[in-house]
Amino acid sequence: MDFFGIESQDAVRLSWNVLPPNKLALVRAHIPLGVLYTPMKDLENLTMVEYKPLLCSKCQAYINPHCKLDFNAKLWLCPFCYQKNSFPKEYAQNISPQNLPAEIMEEYSTIEYLVINPNLQKLPPPIYLFVIDTCIPKEEL
């Protein structure tokens, strides 16, 4: 997929299309890795699901297409902390390689959860943190 395809699907643009395969290639590369993320971007093909997201019991990461699944044991492995998490009953009864929830399919790497919860109405608005690297010498600007 090209840069514009990824950006239109996930609102993310990377400065590289392939990450260095090893540390030597990373050291030899003179182009820094950069990511441009556009929060709240209006995506054309955004999938909306009307159920609560599954979270890792250890690190609270959302289940995603990069999780390893064990259909026999009805478990999923968090790719961030490697915690094994069991699927809830609603998932465990129906999940199979042919019947996957949207958040596990690669074509739905960005989805929106529509959760009706009165407690969510009381939450403050989201806070965005913008990090700008200013460590580059003036001569290289």
Side-chain angles (χ1 to χ4, degrees):
M1 188 178 281
D2 63 334
F3 284 121
F4 298 111
I6 294 171
E7 184 179 14
S8 67
Q9 178 182 345
D10 294 328
V12 175
R13 182 182 290 193
L14 300 168
S15 59
W16 294 4
N17 62 348
V18 177
L19 294 176
N22 54 45
K23 190 170 184 173
L24 180 63
L26 177 64
V27 171
R28 288 182 178 169
H30 298 287
I31 301 171
L33 175 63
V35 177
L36 175 64
Y37 175 66
T38 311
M40 310 298 260
K41 181 177 181 176
D42 187 24
L43 300 174
E44 295 174 10
N45 300 323
L46 183 63
T47 303
M48 295 192 183
V49 294
E50 295 187 25
Y51 50 83
K52 291 177 19 177
L54 282 182
L55 302 175
C56 175
S57 61
K58 185 175 181 183
C59 71
Q60 301 299 304
Y62 288 75
I63 190 169
N64 60 68
H66 305 290
C67 295
K68 303 288 185 216
L69 306 176
D70 183 350
F71 296 107
N72 295 329
K74 307 293 185 190
L75 298 171
W76 61 279
L77 181 69
C78 177
F80 299 105
C81 68
Y82 302 109
Q83 172 71 26
K84 289 183 180 178
N85 299 282
S86 58
F87 285 109
K89 281 190 282 185
E90 315 78 65
Y91 278 75
Q93 292 171 350
N94 301 317
I95 197 164
S96 69
Q98 295 78 28
N99 187 22
L100 295 173
E103 58 264 46
I104 299 175
M105 296 183 209
E106 283 197 31
E107 59 268 18
Y108 300 122
S109 56
T110 300
I111 63 172
E112 187 165 327
Y113 294 95
L114 296 174
V115 180
I116 300 170
N117 186 343
N119 295 333
L120 293 179
Q121 302 298 330
K122 299 173 188 172
L123 292 177
I127 297 173
Y128 297 102
L129 174 67
F130 295 96
V131 178
I132 300 173
D133 183 5
T134 59
C135 297
I136 189 168
K138 280 188 176 183
E139 300 81 36
E140 293 183 19
L141 290 176

